[in-house]
Structure formats: structure tokens, C-alpha cells
């Protein structure tokens, strides 16, 4: 995701809720994508003003890990950007509308049973923990979350007609439609996907990310198909 620079030094993300394999520092978004600074010193001065928001929170750390589904906003210039995978499987910033920054789609990684038979949900970014009594949520389902109060607005599961993105393999970043679902006992559910390019592939639920339902995505894909 980060090509080799002129020197031998490269900024590393601070340890946090994301693996360094699937995220890059906030500094590189300001330098290479938004192009508001050319050095770490300049990035620190910009972040010190408190004009850069990450997931509706002011971020002062230039090495803050940024990954998929995070969104960066600069209200002072009315700019809202979401981090998403492009067709090549690399992280890229896409402009979004202001109402999209109020929600976030997260994939369920683990589920624990707490008191009173309530589920404690852990997501892919390892940062959000939601306790709920909804028994219909399963591992690798996607949840539409409202950022203000972490309320679950909608559940996206692996069913025919839903839109998904591939997260692993040579087809990483490709988006397609689920056309067949094969459920197996004590194993991952197998899904057959028809990509928008016309190619048919077979993946299991651990390799995909559900982003839409009934052939309609929950996010704007206008920037994804721009090129």
C-alpha cells in the first residue's frame, strides 16, 4: 500500500486496535491522498489545530492506524472521505455525503455470551464491543452501526441477493452479488459470487464482507466505479 520512498525511513502505525497488515498511518493519508502536508512536522502542526476528525473524533496522532471503513472528515473545508478498498485491493479514500458519516458497517469477528444470555460482539477492528440480546447475529455477519450511540440499525448476513466484497486472495477488493449459499455443519458457509465483471467465484464467509442487501449497497459506490 505504501511504495518505497526516497529514503530508508517509513512511518509505522502506533500499536492499537488494528493489525499493521491492514492499516496505514494517518500521516500518509494527509500526505499522499489529501496532499495537505509533505513532512511529519507539517502533519503535526495540522493535527494540532484539531481540524482532522477520524470516525467523528478529533485525532492528534499522526501515526494513528487507519483501515477499511474508517472515515476522515475535515469540516473546516466541508470534506468527508471514507477509507475503502479499490479494485486492486489497496486502501483508497472515496468522497462521501455528510449523512454517510453517521453510520459504519462492521463485520462480526467473535461472539461471547455474557450475563442474562446477552451477546458481547467483537468486530474486525477490535475496537467496538456491543452487548445485545439479538440472537440472530452470527459470526461474519455485517452490522450497520450508528456512530453516535453504537446502536445496531441493520443486520446483513450471507443470503442470496446481497452484495459483498472479497477481502482475501487475488480478487481482493472485487465486489459481486451472492447467487448461491451452501451451509455446512461446523464449517464455514460456502457462497457463490457473481462479480460485476461477469466472473463467478466460490468463497467462504470468512473471506467476504457483506456491504448491501437486495442488490442495493448501504454505501455509495460511485467513486469505486469511477475509473
Amino acid at each position: 500500500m505504501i511504495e518505497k520512498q526516497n529514503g530508508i525511513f517509513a512511518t509505522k502505525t502506533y500499536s492499537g486496535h488494528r493489525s499493521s497488515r491492514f492499516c496505514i498511518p494517518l500521516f500518509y493519508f494527509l500526505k499522499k491522498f489529501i496532499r495537505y502536508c509533505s513532512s511529519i512536522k507539517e502533519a503535526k502542526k495540522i493535527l494540532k489545530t484539531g481540524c482532522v476528525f477520524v470516525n467523528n473524533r478529533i485525532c492528534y496522532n499522526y501515526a494513528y492506524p487507519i483501515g477499511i471503513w474508517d472515515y476522515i472528515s475535515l469540516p473546516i473545508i466541508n470534506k468527508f472521505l471514507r477509507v475503502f478498498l479499490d479494485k486492486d485491493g489497496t486502501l483508497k479514500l472515496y468522497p462521501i455525503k455528510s449523512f454517510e458519516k453517521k453510520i459504519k458497517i462492521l463485520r462480526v469477528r467473535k461472539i461471547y455470551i455474557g450475563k442474562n444470555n446477552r451477546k458481547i460482539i467483537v468486530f474486525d477492528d477490535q475496537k467496538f464491543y456491543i452487548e445485545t440480546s439479538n440472537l440472530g447475529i452470527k459470526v461474519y455477519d455485517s452490522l450497520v452501526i450508528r456512530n453516535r450511540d453504537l446502536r445496531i440499525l441493520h443486520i446483513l448476513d450471507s443470503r442470496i441477493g446481497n452484495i459483498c466484497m472479497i477481502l482475501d486472495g487475488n480478487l481482493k477488493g472485487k465486489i459481486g452479488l451472492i447467487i448461491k449459499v451452501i451451509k455446512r455443519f461446523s464449517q464455514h458457509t460456502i457462497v457463490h459470487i457473481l462479480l460485476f465483471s461477469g466472473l463467478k467465484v466460490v468463497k467462504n464467509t470468512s473471506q467476504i464482507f457483506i456491504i448491501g442487501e437486495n442488490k442495493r449497497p448501504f454505501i455509495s459506490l460511485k467513486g469505486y466505479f469511477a475509473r
Side-chain angles (χ1 to χ4, degrees):
M1 298 179 184
I2 304 175
E3 67 273 10
K4 182 160 179 65
Q5 306 295 315
N6 295 330
I8 60 174
F9 175 78
T11 305
K12 188 180 184 301
T13 56
Y14 281 180
S15 58
H17 55 279
R18 288 188 182 273
S19 171
S20 59
R21 181 183 174 186
F22 303 105
C23 65
I24 61 177
L26 177 61
F27 163 66
Y28 284 103
F29 283 105
L30 296 176
K31 178 183 178 182
K32 301 186 66 61
F33 295 99
I34 307 179
R35 298 186 179 182
Y36 279 175
C37 64
S38 59
S39 63
I40 293 180
K41 187 176 181 179
E42 293 178 1
K44 288 181 178 179
K45 291 181 179 180
I46 294 175
L47 295 174
K48 191 175 181 180
T49 62
C51 63
V52 179
F53 290 75
V54 178
N55 296 330
N56 268 348
R57 296 183 180 181
I58 300 177
C59 185
Y60 299 101
N61 187 358
Y62 69 92
Y64 185 83
I66 302 295
I68 186 174
W69 294 114
D70 288 335
Y71 67 87
I72 303 172
S73 57
L74 292 88
I76 194 173
I77 59 173
N78 197 24
K79 200 168 204 177
F80 304 94
L81 305 166
R82 185 181 296 279
V83 183
F84 200 56
L85 293 177
D86 63 0
K87 297 178 182 179
D88 298 327
T90 57
L91 293 178
K92 187 178 179 181
L93 288 177
Y94 292 97
I96 61 173
K97 298 180 180 179
S98 58
F99 73 89
E100 280 194 50
K101 69 185 183 68
K102 299 178 182 179
I103 64 172
K104 187 175 184 180
I105 302 179
L106 298 171
R107 191 176 70 152
V108 179
R109 173 60 63 89
K110 297 178 182 178
I111 296 178
Y112 301 101
I113 304 299
K115 292 183 178 180
N116 300 325
N117 202 27
R118 294 177 65 88
K119 289 185 177 181
I120 301 175
I121 302 173
V122 183
F123 297 101
D124 271 346
D125 57 4
Q126 301 291 327
K127 188 177 182 181
F128 291 87
Y129 300 84
I130 297 179
E131 188 176 354
T132 178
S133 58
N134 193 326
L135 300 178
I137 301 175
K138 304 181 294 296
V139 177
Y140 301 126
D141 284 351
S142 296
L143 304 182
V144 181
I145 306 296
R146 186 166 62 186
N147 288 319
R148 184 179 62 187
D149 53 1
L150 300 182
R151 181 181 177 183
I152 300 175
L153 302 179
H154 199 73
I155 302 174
L156 302 173
D157 56 357
S158 302
R159 80 176 56 169
I160 298 175
N162 286 1
I163 299 176
C164 66
M165 169 176 280
I166 299 176
L167 300 178
D168 196 8
N170 295 330
L171 297 174
K172 181 179 180 181
K174 304 295 184 181
I175 295 178
L177 191 68
I178 298 178
I179 57 176
K180 187 178 180 180
V181 179
I182 302 175
K183 295 184 178 180
R184 296 184 177 181
F185 179 73
S186 72
Q187 293 183 3
H188 293 303
T189 301
I190 304 299
V191 293
H192 293 243
I193 304 170
L194 176 62
L195 301 180
F196 290 154
S197 60
L199 182 66
K200 293 183 180 180
V201 296
V202 179
K203 297 287 183 179
N204 59 52
T205 51
S206 64
Q207 297 175 308
I208 63 173
F209 198 120
I210 310 297
I211 62 174
E213 189 177 37
N214 296 330
K215 301 181 181 181
R216 294 184 179 181
F218 267 81
I219 59 169
S220 175
L221 298 177
K222 183 177 180 181
Y224 180 85
F225 296 105
R227 65 184 183 89

